[in-house]
Amino acid sequence: MIIGIMPLILITLALWGLFLIGVIHASVFILVAAFHAAGCVGDLYFEIVLMFSPIGAMVEDTATGMTIYVK
């Protein structure tokens, strides 16, 4: 779960940092952050599926989706 959510967190923090130190303008920040968050929707869906999976479930990432194995 940590690996799945880290790109969203780290890139968002980097964007915030660039905005706060004045490297990017507010409109650029909003546009880039919105596109980034939209791209992370699949990762967020994956995180929600994992949260509702039983403890000990194993996940296989496949080319067409994911498979969750439960004992």
Side-chain angles (χ1 to χ4, degrees):
M1 286 184 70
I2 293 171
I3 292 171
I5 200 73
M6 276 315 206
L8 174 65
I9 293 171
L10 293 177
I11 293 173
T12 303
L13 287 175
L15 287 171
W16 268 106
L18 291 172
F19 171 68
L20 291 176
I21 62 174
V23 174
I24 58 176
H25 190 267
S27 60
V28 174
F29 168 74
I30 291 170
L31 182 67
V32 174
F35 276 111
H36 173 63
C40 290
V41 167
D43 296 336
L44 294 172
Y45 170 73
F46 185 67
E47 295 294 322
I48 291 170
V49 168
L50 286 177
M51 284 192 299
F52 289 104
S53 296
I55 294 175
M58 298 178 70
V59 179
E60 178 185 11
D61 187 17
T62 64
T64 58
M66 63 184 166
T67 305
I68 300 176
Y69 299 100
V70 181
K71 284 185 174 183

